[in-house]
């Protein structure tokens, strides 16, 4: 019975309502040439026959749908899971429902196209506003409110939430340098995101400030996934003069470095120190020193901002900056040159 409900078609609606398919189509498209009694009858049938069409019906009854769209690259990605925790908390405190869209892969090609498609679908039909996580587009041509988390630039043309990535990176580097490390490897994230560029800048500037030469061989290009953490970890740890410490610009890639260390018979922190960025739950169990960017709070803050905009309450600031904090665990040790 459930399968039948999910596969309901416009023809099923027309037959149940006793009208033509074209009449149902005109109602669904908001045409005004359908008698009010007939329209209400069709909407009632739509309500009975399926959830997706119920959303369409609800949007026709009221300009406010009490529905918010959330678009993210991969719902199974740890960063996304933490965002969802914060979003869920804000949703629970509000009168809104949530609809989530995902492309299923942070590295999926054509993400700009799919991102634009989802935003157009949500903004022009069934939602009051949209939150986009780690977007790949810098602007959107829609008339509904939109808030981004971890945008492609520090100040996009719509409200956004991001961590103090530069300051967090500097804190991690100052900590490693304070332990005596000078040959520090760095694994960068997705270069189209402002967060990755800010973390790389923090790495470079900390070395400059402390009079340590920047060696390009110690900078590896990742994409925030464990797989590239493995690739970049091998690249750095296979150098003839390998780094005494590695700073991975997120915890996922740091986990890839753990895998490489195990393969190569290297110990953390005895053979090299390791720092991550994010402070996802897994990092605690690994004893990983990392930078907490309070991801859940970013999700919560973004949802609050969006609801405020939907309710026509002016925002104090267009950008919410979440302060980072270094979390010291057991993956680092002092280094003394022999």
């Amino acid at each position: 019975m459930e399968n039948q409900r999910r596969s309901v078609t416009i023809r099923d609606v027309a037959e149940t309502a006793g009208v033509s398919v074209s009449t149902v189509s005109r109602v669904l498209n908001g045409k005004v040439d359908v008698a009010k009694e007939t329209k209400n009858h069709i909407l009632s049938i739509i309500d009975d026959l399926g959830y997706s069409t119920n959303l369409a019906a609800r949007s026709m009854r009221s300009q406010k749908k009490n529905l918010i769209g959330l678009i993210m690259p991969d719902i199974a990605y740890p960063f996304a899971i933490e965002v969802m925790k914060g979003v869920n908390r804000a949703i629970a405190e509000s009168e809104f429902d949530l609809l989530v869209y995902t492309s299923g892969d942070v590295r999926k090609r054509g993400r700009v196209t799919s991102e634009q498609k989802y935003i157009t679908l949500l903004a022009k039909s069934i939602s009051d506003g949209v939150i986009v996580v780690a977007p790949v587009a810098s602007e959107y041509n829609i008339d509904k409110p939109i808030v981004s988390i971890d945008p492609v630039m520090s100040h996009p043309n719509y409200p956004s939430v991001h961590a103090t990535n530069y300051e967090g990176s500097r804190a991690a580097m100052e900590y490693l340098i304070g332990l005596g490390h000078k040959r520090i490897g760095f694994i960068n994230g997705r270069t189209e995101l402002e967060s990755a560029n800010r973390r790389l800048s923090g790495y470079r500037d900390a070395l400059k400030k402390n009079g340590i030469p920047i060696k390009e061989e110690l900078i590896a290009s990742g994409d925030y996934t464990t797989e590239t953490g493995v690739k970049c970890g091998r690249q750095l740890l296979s150098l003839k003069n390998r780094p005494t410490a590695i700073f991975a610009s997120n915890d996922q890639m740091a986990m890839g470095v753990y895998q490489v260390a195990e393969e190569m018979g290297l110990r953390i922190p005895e053979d090299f120190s390791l720092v991550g960025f994010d402070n996802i739950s897994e990092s605690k169990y690994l004893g990983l020193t990392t930078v907490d960017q309070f991801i859940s709070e970013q999700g919560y803050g973004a949802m609050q901002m969006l609801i405020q905009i939907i309710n026509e309450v002016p925002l104090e600031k267009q950008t919410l900056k979440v302060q980072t904090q270094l979390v010291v665990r057991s993956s680092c040790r002092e280094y003394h040159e022999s």
Side-chain angles (χ1 to χ4, degrees):
M1 186 65 181
E2 186 62 27
N3 289 336
Q4 291 177 344
R5 287 173 65 87
R6 288 177 180 170
S7 60
V8 73
T9 67
I10 191 172
R11 188 174 298 279
D12 296 324
V13 174
E15 289 178 358
T16 305
V19 298
S20 67
V21 170
S22 61
T23 301
V24 176
S25 179
R26 289 201 299 275
V27 170
L28 289 173
N29 287 291
K31 303 297 183 183
V32 296
D33 59 346
V34 180
K36 183 177 180 181
E37 184 177 318
T38 302
K39 176 183 176 181
N40 289 338
H41 176 58
I42 291 171
L43 290 176
S44 177
I45 297 300
I46 288 172
D47 277 341
D48 292 338
L49 291 182
Y51 174 71
S52 59
T53 47
N54 181 44
L55 291 177
R58 186 169 67 183
S59 69
M60 281 182 277
R61 290 196 181 100
S62 170
Q63 287 191 336
K64 188 174 181 182
K65 291 87 175 176
N66 279 19
L67 184 73
I68 287 175
L70 176 64
I71 300 172
M72 54 179 57
D74 189 346
I75 200 168
Y77 193 52
F79 181 90
I81 292 172
E82 292 301 315
V83 168
M84 284 285 291
K85 290 179 182 178
V87 167
N88 186 65
R89 180 157 57 95
I91 283 290
E93 295 173 359
S94 75
E95 76 277 19
F96 290 88
D97 294 321
L98 183 70
L99 184 62
V100 181
Y101 276 80
T102 176
S103 62
D105 186 352
V106 295
R107 296 166 298 185
K108 194 170 186 178
R109 293 183 179 180
R111 273 195 57 212
V112 173
T113 303
S114 62
E115 193 174 274
Q116 293 280 11
K117 180 184 73 176
Y118 293 148
I119 286 175
T120 300
L121 173 65
L122 289 167
K124 291 188 176 181
S125 57
I126 59 177
S127 78
D128 296 304
V130 182
I131 292 177
V132 190
V133 180
V136 290
S138 57
E139 52 185 67
Y140 303 97
N141 185 26
I142 60 171
D143 59 1
K144 291 285 183 66
I146 183 170
V147 175
S148 71
I149 298 175
D150 194 12
V152 293
M153 58 181 69
S154 293
H155 302 285
N157 63 353
Y158 44 80
S160 62
V161 179
H162 61 81
T164 52
N165 292 287
Y166 176 82
E167 292 81 354
S169 178
R170 284 290 299 267
M173 287 297 294
E174 293 293 346
Y175 174 68
L176 288 172
I177 292 169
L179 291 175
H181 296 279
K182 295 181 180 179
R183 191 168 172 79
I184 303 170
F186 181 75
I187 304 178
N188 200 14
R190 285 170 46 199
T191 53
E192 76 272 18
L193 291 178
E194 182 72 10
S195 62
N197 296 322
R198 297 288 287 169
R199 292 171 201 179
L200 177 58
S201 295
Y203 167 82
R204 289 180 177 276
D205 289 353
L207 292 175
K208 287 180 186 176
K209 179 192 171 189
N210 288 278
I212 301 171
I214 297 171
K215 299 185 182 296
E216 296 301 323
E217 66 176 3
L218 293 178
I219 301 175
S221 298
D223 63 6
Y224 286 151
T225 64
T226 304
E227 290 80 6
T228 56
V230 170
K231 177 179 72 72
C232 295
R234 282 201 192 102
Q235 177 184 327
L236 294 172
L237 294 173
S238 297
L239 291 171
K240 187 174 181 180
N241 183 15
R242 70 171 180 250
T244 64
I246 292 177
F247 175 24
S249 58
N250 81 335
D251 291 348
Q252 282 289 105
M253 294 192 297
M255 290 177 193
V257 177
Y258 270 103
Q259 292 182 31
V260 175
E262 186 174 0
E263 290 172 8
M264 299 178 70
L266 298 173
R267 300 165 299 164
I268 300 172
E270 290 81 2
D271 296 312
F272 71 95
S273 295
L274 179 63
V275 175
F277 200 112
D278 278 348
N279 196 30
I280 60 176
S281 57
E282 292 87 344
S283 65
K284 178 179 179 180
Y285 301 107
L286 288 171
L288 177 65
T289 292
T290 186
V291 178
D292 195 340
Q293 62 164 323
F294 302 97
I295 304 169
S296 175
E297 291 305 313
Q298 291 187 51
Y300 183 78
M303 184 60 73
Q304 286 191 315
M305 289 174 74
L306 185 60
I307 291 173
Q308 195 170 331
I309 298 168
I310 291 169
N311 290 331
E312 300 181 351
V313 178
L315 295 176
E316 291 184 12
K317 296 180 180 179
Q318 287 291 103
T319 302
L320 172 63
K321 292 185 179 181
V322 177
Q323 296 297 315
T324 52
Q325 180 180 328
L326 182 67
V327 179
V328 177
R329 297 192 178 108
S330 59
S331 63
C332 300
R333 73 173 182 91
E334 289 187 6
Y335 176 77
H336 302 285
E337 289 187 89
S338 57

